[in-house]
Amino acid sequence: MIRIAIQKSGRLNTDSLALLKSCGITVDNGKDQLKAKARNFPLEVFFLRNGDIPQYLRDGVVDLAIVGSNLLVEKGTDLEVIESLGFSKCKVSIAIPKENSFSGVSDLAGKKIATSYPNTVNQFLKEKGVEADIHVISGSVEIAPNIGLADAICDIVSSGSTLFKNNLKEVIEILTSEAVLVQAPNLNEEQILLIEKIQFRIQAVLRAKQSRYILLNVPNEQIDSVSKILPVLKSPTVLPLAQEGWSSIHSVINSGDFWEVIDQLKAAGAEDILVCPIEKMVR
């Protein structure tokens, strides 16, 4: 049995449970439940406060965790990231009231900055040679300038809508963040083997999300030129069609290169191009 910690609420919680489900792991968790077992894998899920997770890993209470990489910058630089997960992306930024001018980081010298990430802010300011007064707040950081508690804030920014509602503007991006899979120290052999199984499934899911299955028809004389365009894993599958002189090519493309590849295939003579999502891609 291994134990994994995820955030007990919010977008990271939802995305983490969705990832486990995509990996074929079913977790029966009820409302306000702090611990739940998987039905079909030797896994127990702990639903914890985000800021507490790094210490639970160090103490060996949990063996794995899905957290934002920004949390590790703040509280867990000693912990090992074993997989970047690509979801729950955001940034940690400094923001000031909209009406205030800003010419650079030196403008923060001597100012009060409200934040839930004091270590991150202090490290950033130290690197820039700027001294400021850090005011630590657990929540609702965005309200601090409006009530005269701070001149600026440093907080997580996703869409920017919360800053807009509080009459703030982003002026410095300190770092970008995404969900990562983190491993506890001092694991035994059995735990490591189970973690490798989970990581194998996660990698198959992530590869599938980044890829598309493509089928297309091409004249036989164009098979070589079309095959060179396709960034396949090994080589494309080529099947003859009932129509003489034509073949069907099956392959995989990177979803990020979709339109560029499609344009090249059309120019090379490909027709009837069909693109499908991939549920899992195992190597």
Side-chain angles (χ1 to χ4, degrees), residues 16 20 24 37 41 44 53-54 60 68 85 90 94 119 129 133 152 172 225 256:
S16 299
L20 292 177
K37 285 187 177 180
F41 194 89
E44 197 168 34
I53 292 176
L85 302 176
C90 63
I94 292 175
N119 294 332
D133 181 12
I172 298 176
S225 59

Side-chain angles (χ1 to χ4, degrees), residues 207-240:
R207 276 195 296 268
K209 286 183 178 179
Q210 296 163 2
S211 306
R212 295 292 182 269
Y213 189 74
I214 185 168
L215 304 87
L216 53 144
N217 298 332
V218 297
N220 287 343
E221 62 269 19
Q222 296 298 111
I223 289 175
D224 287 342
S225 59
V226 167
S227 297
K228 290 176 182 177
I229 296 170
L230 294 168
V232 294
L233 301 179
K234 288 186 180 177
S235 62
T237 300
V238 181
L239 302 172

Side-chain angles (χ1 to χ4, degrees), residues 107-231:
D107 288 358
L108 298 173
K111 299 292 177 65
K112 288 184 179 180
I113 303 175
T115 186
S116 302
Y117 300 94
N119 294 332
T120 303
V121 179
N122 277 321
Q123 181 62 34
F124 172 75
L125 293 177
K126 183 178 179 181
E127 290 172 358
K128 300 298 182 181
V130 173
E131 291 188 8
D133 181 12
I134 307 301
H135 194 94
V136 182
I137 298 179
S138 297
S140 301
V141 173
E142 295 86 359
I143 199 174
N146 292 330
I147 60 176
L149 188 61
D151 305 298
I153 69 161
C154 181
D155 202 14
I156 288 178
V157 177
S158 295
S159 65
S161 60
T162 304
L163 294 182
F164 179 80
K165 290 174 184 175
N166 287 277
N167 199 38
L168 299 173
K169 62 181 178 182
E170 181 183 2
V171 291
I172 298 176
E173 178 185 307
I174 292 181
L175 58 88
T176 57
S177 175
E178 65 175 297
V180 292
L181 185 66
V182 188
Q183 180 175 281
N186 305 317
L187 296 172
N188 61 42
E189 188 175 341
E190 181 184 355
Q191 290 169 325
I192 291 172
L193 286 173
L194 287 172
I195 287 172
E196 287 175 349
K197 286 185 178 182
I198 288 181
Q199 192 174 7
F200 174 78
R201 296 189 186 191
I202 287 174
Q203 289 170 347
V205 170
L206 295 179
R207 276 195 296 268
K209 286 183 178 179
Q210 296 163 2
S211 306
R212 295 292 182 269
Y213 189 74
I214 185 168
L215 304 87
L216 53 144
N217 298 332
V218 297
N220 287 343
E221 62 269 19
Q222 296 298 111
I223 289 175
D224 287 342
S225 59
V226 167
S227 297
K228 290 176 182 177
I229 296 170
L230 294 168

Side-chain angles (χ1 to χ4, degrees), residues 214-218 226 230 247-249 265 270-274:
I214 185 168
L215 304 87
L216 53 144
N217 298 332
V218 297
V226 167
L230 294 168
S247 293
S248 175
I249 293 182
L265 292 172
E271 296 182 6
D272 306 321
I273 301 171
L274 179 64

Side-chain angles (χ1 to χ4, degrees), residues 1 10 26 49 56 67 70 78 86-87 109 119 154 158 162 167 231-232 235 250 252 254 271:
M1 173 77 69
T26 304
R49 283 182 68 251
Y56 276 92
V67 296
N70 62 291
D78 58 317
F87 59 79
N119 294 332
C154 181
S158 295
T162 304
N167 199 38
V232 294
S235 62
H250 298 213
V252 173
N254 188 308
E271 296 182 6

